[in-house]
Structures are given as structure tokens and as C-alpha cells.
Amino acid sequence: MGEPGQAPGPAAAVSLPVTGMTCAACAANIERALTKLPGVGAVGVNYATNRATVTFDPAVLTIPAIVETIRDVGYDVLAQGGRDSEFGNLEDLEQQARDQEYRTLRFKLILGTALAIPVVVLGMAHVHFPGVNGVQLALSAPVLFFCGWRFYRGAWKAVRHLTADMNTLIAVGTGAAFTYSVVATIAPAAVSADPHVIARHAPAPVYFETAVVIVVLVLLGKLLEARARGRTSEAIRRLIGLQPRTARIIRDGIELELPTRDVLHGDIVIVRPGERVPVDGEVIDGASAVDESMLTGESMPVDKDAGSTVYGATMNTTGAFRFRATRVGAETALQQIVNLVREAQGRRAPIARMADAISAWFTPAVIGVAMVTFAAWYAFGPAGSRLSTAMVSAVAVLIIACPCAMGLATPTAILVGTGKGAELGVLIRGGDILERAASVTTVVLDKTGTITSGMPEVTDCIPLGATDAAPGARVATDGSAEQLLALAASVEVSSEHPLAQAIVRAAKAAHAPFVQASGFEAIPGRGARATVEGRKVVVGSEALMRESGVDTAPLAGARARMTALGRTIMFVASESSLRGIIALADTPRPEARAAIARLHAMGRQVVMLTGDNEATAQAIAKSVAPNGEIARVVAGVLPGRKADEVKALQAEGRVVAMVGDGINDAPALVQADIGIALGSGTDVALEAADIALLRADLNGVADAIELSGRTLRIIRQNLFWAFFYNVLGIPLAAGAFYPWTGWQLSPMVAAAAMSFSSVSVLANSLRLKR
């Protein structure tokens, strides 16, 4: 990120699609210009995504001023995008620009190759006939100054701003070879002492084939790079492509079909079987099952009926329904996800600073090495070919040292890694987060809503006479467990209390026939009473039973066992006679046990935090980690103290990831080295956490850490290859090994190697997609 040009006030952010960048140094040039603007807070220019992300003070700086600065540097902005833009249209424009660039590169490559082949044949076969060098000149000029004009234009932009980049190296290298050859063609005596050449009985040696082959090979590398870079952003394009172009709505009683971008808040939207939901909203009538896998990664369709929330771009299956639009345009869950992924791809990992630091002086240093190489060969090279040998060696140094691979090493891996995370329902806020997650040593899990579902469920239903039933069993000697559940549900169906709703859900699941009671009365903090088919029924705590004159002693043993397991007890009595007890608990998520075991197997220490008492905490820990996979259980922790517990672990030297619901755990999420919000599909506390899991699945924590580790390995491999390539290639091109081995690198081979290095880095990054 760039340093601020001026301390900004309230921040706004914009992400602009930039055109005209040809290498990572172009991104650095734009970034330097933008950081000098007043009101800029942070700048990130990503060559891999062709985007400039700027955080700024809108009271000091405007978006048009930012765009104008980018154009002043010599680049262009495709459209003024941002968080509030119509992202579908913008993505279309970007895709069109990428396609146009690819077609242009392909045309120039084909034309350049067709013109270069005869030049190479004439040059390499040493064909001699009158005017042979003139023919090569006529064929070479269009290759350099039409097919390869982008490199010379880019070099001129760099010179104007007193910088140097990949284009500088290519332009200087090919320009030197071409200029030397032109001089040799027009005035051969200026470059050769051979009397046959001076008398024009033989052509002077020229290097047109070197210049044209370098241009063609670099164009080939750029074409392959453009194709590979297109693949790295597939995740975003696939998400955006899922949004339907049109929506069917009802306005003023008339059914209309109009573009999705024209849907307004409050519009009634109709969705038929097999159609995608255009925007977010709330179902008002009808029912269906909706495939939300594009948001959550969960393959099972989710049932929707009146009152359910639906999300734009999800797929309706068999039913039809109508819903009221509540979030449109940039507010939709899909757009928020796309923005998050784009911002993540624009944020650098700390490991990238090494490449940035080297790139800042790399090109000037290479030009210096090329000048030294030229001088050394001119001074000490073979007597009859000092000038040509010196020039060839210097050009080889300039070409092989192009720092494209270094510039692509980190951003391409982050681009693919964050995109892959989005496909898995794991939203990672940036390259810095991606890198930090790999070093996590301790994972802190909040119990309620994270290890458990956050919703109480009936675990035991024990009628009087079944006191020896095992925990978790609904067994009674007289078969009255379902009757007990039905009796309690008949009272609780009128209550909004979470425990009451859990009893009703359990009765429905067991097909227990409950009825609507009369005379319902809620007793806050203790339970409820009502009349069920003429009988007075009480459901609640032991204190309420005592107030109602009910003796709970016959079930004291069952109550003690359930309490020891950390379960909440609800007594049920009818006409002052005890009928049984119903135990409830916040039950573990289905995947919690496997996910915790996976984290343990990865070598991460797992800690559980909970505000519950010690007995409940230990019971949950034992159920999800029977073999001690949870290393530490901290009970009785209030929300305000969770951050202190995280801080204590950090004081022990641990790198802590805190996993919570992103709302009441916000202080702990911020305090942790990595905050992970476990989401329910859309409201994933994107602003509170470093990583947001779109689906409520603890496996996403391990996925995020594992993806982080793999991405970091890819980045290190990329950087090693880029540095190793240059460390080995530059001395070889300079002829440092010539006195002992006779090796001297041809500029054409150098160009091929340079292009291969960039493509190999991209290909290595794309391995993350698998």
C-alpha cells in the first residue's frame, strides 16, 4: 500500500479498472503518482487484476481527479467503478477490454511471426545477395515498430516519469540491436573493418533476427500471460455471471420484465421454477427450495416460504414464489462478496514487499550491468568482432533480466488463492491476511453459535416412570414420551421463548399430536401455564413447580444427571401432578467433531471459550473432542473478557485465530491475529473479521488455514524461481562463464527464457485452483 499524501478524514474507497499496464513496474508507477495526491489514505495497484484501489478523503479529493492522475501518468481508466457501481456492466466492459487485448496480441504475434521467419532464415543461414540487409531491414521495421510498439511506448512513459521498467529493458535491447543493424546496412564501414564489407562485396553482419525474435517471443509470452491472467479471475466472473440480466416484477398491478439493475426497494419480484433470484429480498407468498451453493458452497437446497430471505443469483428449483426486494444493486450479498474478493486481491501480502523493494532498483541495476558488459566485451573481446559481441552480450543481459516474473509472483498467487477461497465459501480480506493465517498456532472457538448451533434443542424427554432412561433417550415403560412432548408443546406453542420454540420443533419432528391451549400465561424467567383440553398444565423450572404445589422429588435423580451434563431442565405437570421432565441444550454442530479433529491433526492448538458454567462447558468439550483435541476449556467468560483471553494467549507467544459469530465476539475478533466470522450465508460480519465463512461450517476454519499455507508455499516457490532465474541468467547472459566454458547466451534464447519464466510463475499460481 502506498503511504498517504495527506492524512485523510472520513474514508471513501474506489476500485478503478486501469488499461495500458504491461508489467508490474507500470503498477508501481501509477501507485507512486496516486500516493502524492492530497487526501489519499492508501493505494494499491494490482497488475494481475488491472485495478487501482484508492482509499481517500472525499472532502479533499474526487474520483475524477484520481482518474485524471492515472491518465497523466500515461494509462487510462476503463470506467469509474467502485462499491456503488453497477458491477455487472463494469465487468462486461472489463471482459471486453481483456478480450480485445488478447485479440490484438494474437494478431500482432501472427503478423510478427510471419515477418520474422524470413528474417531469421536470411540471418541464421548467412544468405548473401545484393541488398540482403535491406530486405531484412524492410521486414524487421514493422515487427519492431508496429507489432512491438507497445514496448517502446511503455519505455517512453517510464522515461517521462524518470523511471525504468520491463519495457525499458526490451526497448533498449531490441533498439540497440536494430540501430546497430541499420547502421551496418547503410554505412557498413562504420561497424566493420573487413575490406570485403567496406568494398560492399559482402554484407556487414547484422542482428535484425535478434531484434525481431525478441519482440515475437516477448509477444508470445504476453499472449500466454494474458490468457493465464484471465483464468485467475474466473471466480469473480463466475459469480457475476450468475446474476440474471432481467427480473420479472409487479408495479401498480402490472407484471413487467426489466433489467435487474432497475429493480427498486420494495418491488414485488416473481420467481418461477428454474429461474435465478435477481436481487435479495423476503418471500411474501409461495414456497420452494433454493440452491444457495454459489454463496455458501452448501450443495443441499434450502427450503423457502413466507418470511424467508432469498439472495440474488441463487437458483430456484421446483416451486414458485413472490418476494419483496430489500437489497438491490450494490447492496446485494453477491455484490458485497465480489467487492470483498476484489479488495482482497488488491491488498499485498507482506512477503511482496521484498519483491517491491528489489524491483525498485532492479531495472536501473540491470542497465548498469548491461553497460559494464558492453564495455568489458568491447575492451577485451575478440579483436575482429568486439563491437558486435559487446552489443549482443549487453542485449542478452537486458532481455533476460526483465522482472516480469518477480512482479507476478505474489499478486497472481493471491488472486487465485482468494478466488479459490470464495468458491469454497471462505472470504479472505487480503493478501496480508492470507499470509498471516498460515502462521496461526492456536485456534480459539467460541462455544455458542460456533461449536454449537446457537439454538437450543430437546435432548431428552423423560416421563414419570422412565427415570432410568439413558441420556438422549425418549423411552418410557408406558410409551408416553411423545404424549409428554405433545402436552408441553400444547402450552409452549403460544410462547416466543427460544426454549418453548425448541419444544414445539421437537414435537413436530416426533409427530406428537399437540393442540392449541387456552388461557396461556407466560411467567418470565420460570415458564408458562395454560389449559389444555380442560386440564391445567404447567411447564417450567423447579421453582415454578414448587409455586404450583408440584412435587419434583420422583424425578430428582434424572434432574441431577441432566444438570451434570449441562442441560436445561423443564418440568411438566398436569393438574398439580408431575408428568415428566424435558431436557434441552445448545447442541454441537454436526461437523464440529470432525472439524476440531482436523485442526488438531494440522498441529493447531484448539481452545474453547464460553460464558456457560464449567459443567456445561466440559460436557460440550467432551462431546466434540472425546480424545482431548480441545487443549483448553475456559468457562464463565463474559463477552467483554473474551478479548482479554485472546490477549493472554498472545502474551504466551501464540499466533491466535479467534472464531466467533462476528457480533458479540467483535472485540475478540479484532484483538486476535486473525478474526474469523462464522456466517449463516450472507450476514457474515464482513467488517468485523479478517476471514468470513459464508456457510455455518467449522470446516471452513481449517480450509482457510490450509489454503493460506498452500498459497504462501506457491508465493515462495514463485519468488524463488524468479530470483534464481535472474541470479543465474544475468551472469550467463553477460558472458561471465565464457572464459571457462565458452558459454555465451544468445539474446533470442534470453527472450524465450524471460517469457517462459513469467508464464511458469502464472502456471504455478494456477495450481491453487486444484
Side-chain angles (χ1 to χ4, degrees):
M1 294 294 181
E3 294 297 321
Q6 177 178 318
V14 66
S15 180
L16 299 168
V18 179
T19 61
M21 288 195 289
T22 57
C23 69
C26 297
N29 292 339
I30 297 170
E31 194 166 295
R32 278 193 293 271
L34 290 175
T35 54
K36 296 176 183 177
L37 292 174
V40 167
V43 178
V45 182
N46 193 326
Y47 169 53
T49 60
N50 285 328
R51 276 187 169 265
T53 303
V54 185
T55 302
F56 63 98
D57 181 357
V60 178
L61 186 64
T62 64
I63 293 176
I66 296 171
V67 172
E68 192 60 34
T69 299
I70 295 173
R71 288 174 176 158
D72 286 344
V73 182
Y75 305 90
D76 201 1
V77 175
L78 186 65
Q80 293 185 19
R83 295 189 67 90
D84 299 321
S85 64
E86 176 51 50
F87 65 97
N89 287 351
L90 181 56
E91 187 68 22
D92 287 343
L93 291 173
E94 290 183 85
Q95 184 61 47
Q96 290 168 15
R98 284 191 291 265
D99 291 344
Q100 180 60 44
E101 180 190 17
Y102 184 83
R103 286 193 297 269
T104 300
L105 280 170
R106 184 175 59 188
F107 170 74
K108 290 186 174 182
L109 175 63
I110 293 171
L111 177 61
T113 302
L115 294 173
I117 288 174
V119 175
V120 173
V121 170
L122 292 173
M124 302 298 287
H126 302 289
V127 177
H128 293 172
F129 59 83
V132 64
N133 285 357
V135 172
Q136 292 186 67
L137 170 58
L139 292 171
S140 300
V143 177
L144 267 71
F145 303 115
F146 175 70
C147 300
W149 181 245
R150 59 188 283 139
F151 306 124
Y152 296 95
R153 185 179 64 240
W156 173 243
K157 290 178 184 176
V159 169
R160 282 176 52 210
H161 294 89
L162 303 178
T163 60
D165 57 20
M166 179 207 79
N167 297 299
T168 308
L169 300 180
I170 295 173
V172 171
T174 58
F178 183 79
T179 302
Y180 174 92
S181 301
V182 170
V183 172
T185 301
I186 298 172
V191 298
S192 177
D194 188 332
H196 295 286
V197 172
I198 294 173
R200 294 186 182 267
H201 295 149
V206 292
Y207 295 94
F208 288 117
E209 77 278 6
T210 296
V212 297
V213 169
I214 287 171
V215 169
V216 167
L217 286 173
V218 176
L219 281 174
L220 175 62
K222 287 293 175 186
L223 186 73
L224 296 174
E225 181 184 312
R227 185 174 181 178
R229 282 168 58 203
R231 289 178 58 197
T232 60
S233 56
E234 281 179 5
I236 286 181
R237 288 206 306 276
R238 194 156 47 238
L239 279 174
I240 290 176
L242 291 174
Q243 187 183 47
R245 297 289 182 181
T246 61
R248 191 177 293 104
I249 70 168
I250 296 176
R251 282 186 189 164
D252 301 324
I254 302 172
E255 184 175 318
L256 304 170
E257 187 168 333
L258 71 171
T260 298
R261 63 176 177 271
D262 293 336
V263 177
L264 305 175
H265 286 277
D267 275 342
I268 304 302
V269 184
I270 302 170
V271 182
R272 294 171 180 168
E275 294 181 343
R276 290 195 178 276
V277 179
V279 295
D280 297 2
E282 182 178 325
V283 176
I284 55 175
D285 62 59
S288 185
V290 176
D291 180 356
E292 297 181 345
S293 58
M294 51 73 59
L295 279 178
T296 66
E298 181 58 56
S299 59
M300 291 297 293
V302 180
D303 290 333
K304 302 290 183 180
D305 53 21
S308 299
T309 301
V310 291
Y311 306 107
T314 55
M315 174 65 79
N316 184 29
T317 56
T318 56
F321 58 87
R322 297 192 304 165
F323 70 92
R324 179 175 288 103
T326 56
R327 294 193 293 187
V328 300
E331 302 171 345
T332 64
L334 177 66
Q335 169 69 325
Q336 291 178 43
I337 292 168
V338 168
N339 284 333
L340 183 69
V341 175
R342 277 183 176 158
E343 289 167 10
Q345 291 172 345
R347 285 172 58 174
R348 288 201 184 106
I351 197 172
R353 293 172 190 156
M354 178 171 59
D356 291 343
I358 291 175
S359 296
W361 56 261
F362 189 80
T363 298
V366 167
I367 293 174
V369 171
M371 294 171 66
V372 171
T373 299
F374 181 90
W377 278 104
Y378 190 75
F380 305 108
S385 59
R386 286 181 177 177
L387 179 60
S388 60
T389 303
M391 185 201 67
V392 168
S393 297
V395 169
V397 169
L398 290 169
I399 299 304
I400 202 167
C402 287
C404 296
M406 270 189 286
L408 291 169
T410 301
T412 53
I414 291 173
L415 183 63
V416 179
T418 50
K420 184 63 179 178
E423 291 180 10
L424 296 172
V426 178
L427 299 185
I428 302 168
R429 292 189 66 84
D432 49 339
I433 306 300
L434 198 62
E435 180 176 338
R436 202 157 66 234
S439 60
V440 164
T441 60
T442 301
V443 178
V444 178
L445 302 174
D446 179 53
K447 180 188 78 71
T448 304
T450 303
I451 293 177
T452 64
S453 63
M455 183 181 296
E457 298 292 345
V458 171
T459 58
D460 304 85
C461 186
I462 306 174
L464 193 64
T467 57
D468 295 326
R474 291 184 187 161
V475 180
T477 53
D478 60 0
S480 59
E482 278 68 32
Q483 294 178 18
L484 178 66
L485 196 57
L487 187 64
S490 297
V491 174
E492 301 290 23
V493 72
S494 300
S495 173
E496 296 296 327
H497 194 281
L499 294 179
Q501 293 302 304
I503 291 173
V504 174
R505 285 196 304 273
K508 289 179 179 178
H511 303 291
F514 61 91
V515 297
Q516 184 74 42
S518 60
F520 173 81
E521 180 188 359
I523 299 128
R526 288 178 290 173
R529 58 169 67 98
T531 301
V532 180
E533 296 180 333
R535 295 175 294 169
K536 292 183 179 179
V537 179
V538 182
V539 181
S541 65
E542 190 169 15
L544 181 59
M545 294 299 121
R546 284 197 299 268
E547 285 182 16
S548 303
V550 178
D551 182 12
T552 60
L555 288 175
R559 181 194 62 78
R561 287 198 305 276
M562 297 298 105
T563 302
L565 292 171
R567 292 172 183 169
T568 300
I569 306 301
M570 300 282 281
F571 290 89
V572 182
S574 174
E575 296 293 340
S576 300
S577 298
L578 185 65
R579 296 289 302 275
I581 60 173
I582 296 175
L584 303 97
D586 183 6
T587 55
R589 295 181 180 277
E591 80 286 351
R593 182 168 178 172
I596 290 170
R598 185 178 166 196
L599 288 169
H600 181 74
M602 291 167 62
R604 269 64 180 186
Q605 183 190 58
V606 181
V607 175
M608 185 178 85
L609 294 184
T610 178
D612 285 340
N613 58 54
E614 186 70 25
T616 301
Q618 292 296 340
I620 291 292
K622 187 174 181 180
S623 67
V624 296
N627 300 313
E629 292 89 349
I630 294 180
R632 189 186 306 180
V633 177
V634 185
V637 180
L638 298 174
R641 281 193 50 228
K642 289 180 181 178
D644 296 333
E645 295 293 338
V646 170
K647 197 179 298 183
L649 289 168
Q650 291 171 322
E652 297 174 12
R654 302 183 182 279
V655 180
V656 180
M658 173 70 196
V659 187
D661 61 15
I663 302 169
N664 56 12
D665 297 317
L669 290 171
V670 173
Q671 174 63 41
D673 298 282
I674 296 289
I676 302 177
L678 197 68
S680 59
T682 52
D683 296 327
V684 290
L686 298 185
E687 301 303 323
D690 300 307
I691 298 174
L693 307 181
L694 285 181
R695 53 179 173 167
D697 187 337
L698 271 179
N699 280 301
V701 179
D703 287 341
I705 294 173
E706 191 172 307
L707 179 63
S708 169
R710 289 184 180 179
T711 304
L712 202 57
R713 282 198 298 274
I714 291 290
I715 290 173
R716 287 171 176 156
Q717 291 167 8
N718 287 349
L719 289 173
F720 170 80
W721 168 249
F723 290 138
F724 174 79
Y725 161 82
N726 283 299
V727 167
L728 179 65
I730 291 174
L732 182 61
F737 304 117
Y738 182 80
W740 302 279
T741 64
W743 294 349
Q744 191 174 16
L745 195 66
S746 162
M748 291 182 285
V749 175
M754 184 271 289
S755 296
F756 174 75
S757 69
S758 296
V759 174
S760 65
V761 162
L762 281 161
N764 193 41
S765 296
L766 287 169
R767 290 195 303 119
L768 283 166
K769 291 174 70 67
R770 300 195 301 271

